Amino acid sequence: MTNTEIIDICGLNSYYGDRQVLFDIEFGIPRNRITVIMGVSGCGKTTLLRHLIGLKSSRPKELMIEGEDMGGFRESRMNQYRSRIGVLFQSGALFNSMTVADNVSVPLRVHSKLHKETIRIIATIKLHQVGLSEFCDYMPSQLSGGMQKRAGLARALAMDPEILFVDEPSSGLDPITAAGLDNLILELKDTLGMTIIVVTHELESAFRIADQIVVLDKGRLLTAGSPEEIQTSQDERVVQFLERQADQKQENNEAYIKTLVGRQIPQVQD
Amino acid sequence: MDFQTQRSESNKISVKLEGSLNRSTVPEIRKGLLKFARQGGIKVMAIDLSQVSNLDTAGIALMVEVLRVLSSNGGTLRLTGLNRNAVKMIRLSRLDSAFDIANSSGSGS
């Protein structure tokens, strides 16, 4: 790990039951930069995010936060880490029983001793940053999906996090709103020096905001590098990913048919 | 977080803040700062932030609360001695037009 890296992933493996979904993932996340984690659906990028935010535990020495082993974090240390990070989940993950402003206030109520009036002002500031200050007293159900996502981002920003994790920021947003969100992410990095990790499968957004792009493929690290390095890569699978070509490998199709039919179907010879 | 006040004229009060002005320290000084803002006849409160090392959104929110109190009595809030980081934070909060900002080292950036 170099002193420019705030998080170092050193051979991370991950499982759901007996099924392995991440295989020996290894790369560093530089401080004050935007790292975009990409890959097609099911490649393991959201699982990786869950490890990084401490929702899924890691084995010793697999995940280092500023040189400290996250696998050894006790609850109090994990809470301390969580107070330094902000997370925008893919769905926005708002509490439906609270107003939008109250949703944004939740982290401050939990992690600070600020007066409720101060918290209310912070919530309004954060909602204004995402273009929603006129919707403070709305309920989440009164907002569109894209607005809920932006409200979720306001909540993720409520604590002025050092590290911001964003899962699929563009999904469900129209192109103009998505571009506005990209601009805000860039502004947060440029203005506050925030370290930002974005999980997305949107190529256009990734190349617009990333300092580093990490591409996962079937749970394995395919490549990591600058946007320029990714764009000029000669690796066949990287090129295939960039061209959004469907992976139609014959062995996968055979496995699919075997699952359906219960046996291998012999190939018909012309 | 420490602060010192000085009433230079009958309708003007100067406040100097020192240390971090963030979500950890704002609860310590909020009550005292608002008390000074509520004093009758204050037309200008000038807060010197030159010795503030760390300003976050909670610090800016406190400035907004002070401004609210002053405005309700016809007063204004002047912020002085802002470093580059403080100016950036205020701009990011889209509040640069709300405060009277003077002598800011980062104002030209």
Side-chain angles (χ1 to χ4, degrees), chain A residues 208-228:
Chain A
R208 191 187 301 146
I209 62 176
D211 295 301
Q212 171 180 246
I213 293 179
V214 174
V215 184
L216 299 184
D217 181 52
K218 294 175 184 164
R220 291 182 165 82
L221 180 72
L222 184 58
T223 187
S226 68
E228 294 73 25

PDB file of all heavy atoms in Angstrom, chain A residues 208-228:
ATOM      1  N   ARG A 208     -16.618   9.767 -17.729  1.00  0.00           N
ATOM      2  CA  ARG A 208     -16.751  11.196 -17.429  1.00  0.00           C
ATOM      3  C   ARG A 208     -16.136  11.536 -16.069  1.00  0.00           C
ATOM      4  O   ARG A 208     -15.531  12.577 -15.895  1.00  0.00           O
ATOM      5  CB  ARG A 208     -18.238  11.590 -17.457  1.00  0.00           C
ATOM      6  CG  ARG A 208     -18.469  13.108 -17.425  1.00  0.00           C
ATOM      7  CD  ARG A 208     -19.947  13.424 -17.291  1.00  0.00           C
ATOM      8  NE  ARG A 208     -20.736  12.882 -18.381  1.00  0.00           N
ATOM      9  CZ  ARG A 208     -21.978  12.428 -18.267  1.00  0.00           C
ATOM     10  NH1 ARG A 208     -22.579  12.443 -17.107  1.00  0.00           N
ATOM     11  NH2 ARG A 208     -22.627  11.958 -19.303  1.00  0.00           N
ATOM     12  N   ILE A 209     -16.279  10.640 -15.101  1.00  0.00           N
ATOM     13  CA  ILE A 209     -15.910  11.022 -13.729  1.00  0.00           C
ATOM     14  C   ILE A 209     -14.659  10.321 -13.186  1.00  0.00           C
ATOM     15  O   ILE A 209     -14.045  10.815 -12.258  1.00  0.00           O
ATOM     16  CB  ILE A 209     -17.080  10.770 -12.741  1.00  0.00           C
ATOM     17  CG1 ILE A 209     -17.444   9.286 -12.674  1.00  0.00           C
ATOM     18  CG2 ILE A 209     -18.287  11.605 -13.137  1.00  0.00           C
ATOM     19  CD1 ILE A 209     -18.524   8.963 -11.636  1.00  0.00           C
ATOM     20  N   ALA A 210     -14.278   9.181 -13.765  1.00  0.00           N
ATOM     21  CA  ALA A 210     -13.277   8.334 -13.098  1.00  0.00           C
ATOM     22  C   ALA A 210     -11.854   8.859 -13.206  1.00  0.00           C
ATOM     23  O   ALA A 210     -11.446   9.393 -14.232  1.00  0.00           O
ATOM     24  CB  ALA A 210     -13.336   6.923 -13.673  1.00  0.00           C
ATOM     25  N   ASP A 211     -11.095   8.680 -12.110  1.00  0.00           N
ATOM     26  CA  ASP A 211      -9.639   8.792 -12.165  1.00  0.00           C
ATOM     27  C   ASP A 211      -9.053   7.397 -12.355  1.00  0.00           C
ATOM     28  O   ASP A 211      -7.999   7.238 -12.940  1.00  0.00           O
ATOM     29  CB  ASP A 211      -9.102   9.376 -10.846  1.00  0.00           C
ATOM     30  CG  ASP A 211      -9.582  10.800 -10.636  1.00  0.00           C
ATOM     31  OD1 ASP A 211      -9.297  11.652 -11.478  1.00  0.00           O
ATOM     32  OD2 ASP A 211     -10.273  11.046  -9.626  1.00  0.00           O
ATOM     33  N   GLN A 212      -9.757   6.418 -11.797  1.00  0.00           N
ATOM     34  CA  GLN A 212      -9.334   5.027 -11.924  1.00  0.00           C
ATOM     35  C   GLN A 212     -10.571   4.180 -12.224  1.00  0.00           C
ATOM     36  O   GLN A 212     -11.616   4.388 -11.598  1.00  0.00           O
ATOM     37  CB  GLN A 212      -8.686   4.532 -10.616  1.00  0.00           C
ATOM     38  CG  GLN A 212      -8.428   3.035 -10.605  1.00  0.00           C
ATOM     39  CD  GLN A 212      -7.780   2.533  -9.325  1.00  0.00           C
ATOM     40  OE1 GLN A 212      -6.653   2.070  -9.326  1.00  0.00           O
ATOM     41  NE2 GLN A 212      -8.511   2.608  -8.222  1.00  0.00           N
ATOM     42  N   ILE A 213     -10.431   3.253 -13.153  1.00  0.00           N
ATOM     43  CA  ILE A 213     -11.533   2.330 -13.458  1.00  0.00           C
ATOM     44  C   ILE A 213     -11.072   0.909 -13.158  1.00  0.00           C
ATOM     45  O   ILE A 213      -9.974   0.504 -13.534  1.00  0.00           O
ATOM     46  CB  ILE A 213     -11.974   2.451 -14.934  1.00  0.00           C
ATOM     47  CG1 ILE A 213     -12.611   3.818 -15.187  1.00  0.00           C
ATOM     48  CG2 ILE A 213     -12.956   1.331 -15.299  1.00  0.00           C
ATOM     49  CD1 ILE A 213     -13.053   4.051 -16.618  1.00  0.00           C
ATOM     50  N   VAL A 214     -11.923   0.194 -12.427  1.00  0.00           N
ATOM     51  CA  VAL A 214     -11.659  -1.206 -12.104  1.00  0.00           C
ATOM     52  C   VAL A 214     -12.761  -2.017 -12.785  1.00  0.00           C
ATOM     53  O   VAL A 214     -13.935  -1.711 -12.611  1.00  0.00           O
ATOM     54  CB  VAL A 214     -11.714  -1.421 -10.569  1.00  0.00           C
ATOM     55  CG1 VAL A 214     -11.593  -2.893 -10.228  1.00  0.00           C
ATOM     56  CG2 VAL A 214     -10.634  -0.604  -9.875  1.00  0.00           C
ATOM     57  N   VAL A 215     -12.379  -3.018 -13.574  1.00  0.00           N
ATOM     58  CA  VAL A 215     -13.387  -3.828 -14.261  1.00  0.00           C
ATOM     59  C   VAL A 215     -13.366  -5.234 -13.679  1.00  0.00           C
ATOM     60  O   VAL A 215     -12.313  -5.883 -13.618  1.00  0.00           O
ATOM     61  CB  VAL A 215     -13.125  -3.887 -15.785  1.00  0.00           C
ATOM     62  CG1 VAL A 215     -14.245  -4.667 -16.490  1.00  0.00           C
ATOM     63  CG2 VAL A 215     -13.022  -2.483 -16.375  1.00  0.00           C
ATOM     64  N   LEU A 216     -14.541  -5.675 -13.221  1.00  0.00           N
ATOM     65  CA  LEU A 216     -14.692  -7.038 -12.713  1.00  0.00           C
ATOM     66  C   LEU A 216     -15.384  -7.894 -13.765  1.00  0.00           C
ATOM     67  O   LEU A 216     -16.242  -7.405 -14.519  1.00  0.00           O
ATOM     68  CB  LEU A 216     -15.538  -7.052 -11.428  1.00  0.00           C
ATOM     69  CG  LEU A 216     -15.020  -6.285 -10.205  1.00  0.00           C
ATOM     70  CD1 LEU A 216     -15.958  -6.526  -9.014  1.00  0.00           C
ATOM     71  CD2 LEU A 216     -13.607  -6.693  -9.846  1.00  0.00           C
ATOM     72  N   ASP A 217     -15.011  -9.158 -13.778  1.00  0.00           N
ATOM     73  CA  ASP A 217     -15.651 -10.095 -14.702  1.00  0.00           C
ATOM     74  C   ASP A 217     -15.803 -11.432 -13.993  1.00  0.00           C
ATOM     75  O   ASP A 217     -14.804 -12.039 -13.608  1.00  0.00           O
ATOM     76  CB  ASP A 217     -14.788 -10.246 -15.961  1.00  0.00           C
ATOM     77  CG  ASP A 217     -15.419 -11.194 -16.961  1.00  0.00           C
ATOM     78  OD1 ASP A 217     -16.598 -11.003 -17.296  1.00  0.00           O
ATOM     79  OD2 ASP A 217     -14.728 -12.145 -17.388  1.00  0.00           O
ATOM     80  N   LYS A 218     -17.027 -11.851 -13.801  1.00  0.00           N
ATOM     81  CA  LYS A 218     -17.325 -13.123 -13.130  1.00  0.00           C
ATOM     82  C   LYS A 218     -16.566 -13.266 -11.813  1.00  0.00           C
ATOM     83  O   LYS A 218     -15.981 -14.308 -11.519  1.00  0.00           O
ATOM     84  CB  LYS A 218     -17.006 -14.283 -14.066  1.00  0.00           C
ATOM     85  CG  LYS A 218     -17.918 -14.322 -15.277  1.00  0.00           C
ATOM     86  CD  LYS A 218     -17.498 -15.399 -16.232  1.00  0.00           C
ATOM     87  CE  LYS A 218     -18.376 -15.337 -17.476  1.00  0.00           C
ATOM     88  NZ  LYS A 218     -17.798 -16.087 -18.578  1.00  0.00           N
ATOM     89  N   GLY A 219     -16.560 -12.179 -11.047  1.00  0.00           N
ATOM     90  CA  GLY A 219     -15.967 -12.224  -9.713  1.00  0.00           C
ATOM     91  C   GLY A 219     -14.475 -12.048  -9.675  1.00  0.00           C
ATOM     92  O   GLY A 219     -13.865 -12.103  -8.600  1.00  0.00           O
ATOM     93  N   ARG A 220     -13.862 -11.862 -10.838  1.00  0.00           N
ATOM     94  CA  ARG A 220     -12.407 -11.689 -10.883  1.00  0.00           C
ATOM     95  C   ARG A 220     -12.066 -10.308 -11.402  1.00  0.00           C
ATOM     96  O   ARG A 220     -12.828  -9.718 -12.172  1.00  0.00           O
ATOM     97  CB  ARG A 220     -11.775 -12.747 -11.778  1.00  0.00           C
ATOM     98  CG  ARG A 220     -11.852 -14.141 -11.188  1.00  0.00           C
ATOM     99  CD  ARG A 220     -11.164 -15.173 -12.077  1.00  0.00           C
ATOM    100  NE  ARG A 220     -10.939 -16.430 -11.352  1.00  0.00           N
ATOM    101  CZ  ARG A 220     -11.863 -17.371 -11.179  1.00  0.00           C
ATOM    102  NH1 ARG A 220     -13.070 -17.192 -11.688  1.00  0.00           N
ATOM    103  NH2 ARG A 220     -11.588 -18.468 -10.504  1.00  0.00           N
ATOM    104  N   LEU A 221     -10.900  -9.816 -10.976  1.00  0.00           N
ATOM    105  CA  LEU A 221     -10.440  -8.523 -11.469  1.00  0.00           C
ATOM    106  C   LEU A 221      -9.955  -8.693 -12.904  1.00  0.00           C
ATOM    107  O   LEU A 221      -8.998  -9.432 -13.147  1.00  0.00           O
ATOM    108  CB  LEU A 221      -9.300  -7.998 -10.585  1.00  0.00           C
ATOM    109  CG  LEU A 221      -8.733  -6.649 -10.984  1.00  0.00           C
ATOM    110  CD1 LEU A 221      -9.717  -5.539 -10.664  1.00  0.00           C
ATOM    111  CD2 LEU A 221      -7.417  -6.384 -10.278  1.00  0.00           C
ATOM    112  N   LEU A 222     -10.631  -8.019 -13.802  1.00  0.00           N
ATOM    113  CA  LEU A 222     -10.225  -8.119 -15.208  1.00  0.00           C
ATOM    114  C   LEU A 222      -9.100  -7.131 -15.497  1.00  0.00           C
ATOM    115  O   LEU A 222      -8.082  -7.484 -16.083  1.00  0.00           O
ATOM    116  CB  LEU A 222     -11.443  -7.833 -16.095  1.00  0.00           C
ATOM    117  CG  LEU A 222     -11.259  -7.971 -17.593  1.00  0.00           C
ATOM    118  CD1 LEU A 222     -10.796  -9.370 -17.963  1.00  0.00           C
ATOM    119  CD2 LEU A 222     -12.578  -7.658 -18.300  1.00  0.00           C
ATOM    120  N   THR A 223      -9.302  -5.896 -15.058  1.00  0.00           N
ATOM    121  CA  THR A 223      -8.266  -4.893 -15.256  1.00  0.00           C
ATOM    122  C   THR A 223      -8.518  -3.698 -14.346  1.00  0.00           C
ATOM    123  O   THR A 223      -9.652  -3.487 -13.888  1.00  0.00           O
ATOM    124  CB  THR A 223      -8.220  -4.429 -16.735  1.00  0.00           C
ATOM    125  OG1 THR A 223      -7.096  -3.581 -16.939  1.00  0.00           O
ATOM    126  CG2 THR A 223      -9.476  -3.670 -17.127  1.00  0.00           C
ATOM    127  N   ALA A 224      -7.488  -2.922 -14.101  1.00  0.00           N
ATOM    128  CA  ALA A 224      -7.621  -1.670 -13.356  1.00  0.00           C
ATOM    129  C   ALA A 224      -6.640  -0.673 -13.944  1.00  0.00           C
ATOM    130  O   ALA A 224      -5.499  -1.027 -14.247  1.00  0.00           O
ATOM    131  CB  ALA A 224      -7.319  -1.890 -11.870  1.00  0.00           C
ATOM    132  N   GLY A 225      -7.085   0.548 -14.139  1.00  0.00           N
ATOM    133  CA  GLY A 225      -6.194   1.559 -14.701  1.00  0.00           C
ATOM    134  C   GLY A 225      -6.920   2.865 -14.904  1.00  0.00           C
ATOM    135  O   GLY A 225      -8.094   3.011 -14.520  1.00  0.00           O
ATOM    136  N   SER A 226      -6.229   3.804 -15.500  1.00  0.00           N
ATOM    137  CA  SER A 226      -6.852   5.105 -15.776  1.00  0.00           C
ATOM    138  C   SER A 226      -7.871   4.929 -16.900  1.00  0.00           C
ATOM    139  O   SER A 226      -7.803   3.942 -17.654  1.00  0.00           O
ATOM    140  CB  SER A 226      -5.786   6.108 -16.199  1.00  0.00           C
ATOM    141  OG  SER A 226      -5.265   5.734 -17.466  1.00  0.00           O
ATOM    142  N   PRO A 227      -8.802   5.869 -17.060  1.00  0.00           N
ATOM    143  CA  PRO A 227      -9.762   5.752 -18.167  1.00  0.00           C
ATOM    144  C   PRO A 227      -9.055   5.591 -19.516  1.00  0.00           C
ATOM    145  O   PRO A 227      -9.507   4.805 -20.356  1.00  0.00           O
ATOM    146  CB  PRO A 227     -10.545   7.066 -18.087  1.00  0.00           C
ATOM    147  CG  PRO A 227     -10.476   7.448 -16.655  1.00  0.00           C
ATOM    148  CD  PRO A 227      -9.126   7.014 -16.179  1.00  0.00           C
ATOM    149  N   GLU A 228      -7.934   6.294 -19.694  1.00  0.00           N
ATOM    150  CA  GLU A 228      -7.197   6.192 -20.960  1.00  0.00           C
ATOM    151  C   GLU A 228      -6.657   4.772 -21.150  1.00  0.00           C
ATOM    152  O   GLU A 228      -6.726   4.210 -22.243  1.00  0.00           O
ATOM    153  CB  GLU A 228      -6.034   7.198 -20.986  1.00  0.00           C
ATOM    154  CG  GLU A 228      -6.459   8.661 -20.998  1.00  0.00           C
ATOM    155  CD  GLU A 228      -6.999   9.148 -19.651  1.00  0.00           C
ATOM    156  OE1 GLU A 228      -6.643   8.582 -18.602  1.00  0.00           O
ATOM    157  OE2 GLU A 228      -7.816  10.095 -19.663  1.00  0.00           O
TER     158      GLU A 228
END
